[in-house]
Amino acid sequence: MAIDLQQQLERVNAKTTLVLEKYALMQQRLEQARAEIARLNDELRRSRQSIEALEMRLEYLSVSHTVASSGDELQRAKAMISELVREIDLCIADLND
């Protein structure tokens, strides 16, 4: 009976060790998944910012080509639009303060 009990304890101990090892592995995978999620969220944020900047640039170019047809007019229109955007940004900054 003591040998049978000892064998049962050894099996329980082995199974407990196996469960703990699997738990540690799952914890490690969870941390890796969380790190990957954080990295992907950061990449997504940067991509969205880039898309927003490119869309704004496209809008400026579209407006400047509509306003000006020649090269000189185009440069003046771009400069004028850039100046207006800077003024708008300053106004927004003043409003936020």
Side-chain angles (χ1 to χ4, degrees):
M1 175 117 171
I3 294 175
D4 192 35
L5 185 59
Q6 182 66 30
Q7 289 174 346
Q8 285 180 353
L9 282 174
E10 288 174 3
R11 282 196 305 260
V12 168
N13 190 25
K15 288 180 181 179
T16 303
T17 303
L18 182 64
V19 167
L20 289 174
E21 288 172 357
K22 286 184 177 181
Y23 177 77
L25 179 63
M26 294 305 290
Q27 285 289 87
Q28 182 182 11
R29 287 182 181 171
L30 177 62
E31 288 302 315
Q32 289 172 345
R34 285 182 176 159
E36 180 71 5
I37 288 170
R39 185 189 67 77
L40 290 172
N41 280 333
D42 189 48
E43 185 179 328
L44 178 61
R45 181 188 53 77
R46 284 192 315 268
S47 294
R48 285 182 175 164
Q49 288 175 340
S50 177
I51 288 170
E52 186 177 312
L54 290 171
E55 285 175 343
M56 187 181 306
R57 185 173 176 201
L58 177 64
E59 181 71 24
Y60 293 157
L61 289 173
S62 296
V63 169
S64 65
H65 282 285
T66 302
V67 171
S69 58
S70 72
D72 291 336
E73 290 177 358
L74 183 62
Q75 291 298 340
R76 281 186 299 214
K78 284 182 183 179
M80 181 181 71
I81 291 170
S82 294
E83 181 61 30
L84 289 173
V85 169
R86 279 192 289 276
E87 289 179 20
I88 291 170
D89 287 341
L90 288 174
C91 291
I92 290 172
D94 287 342
L95 289 173
N96 288 331
D97 291 338

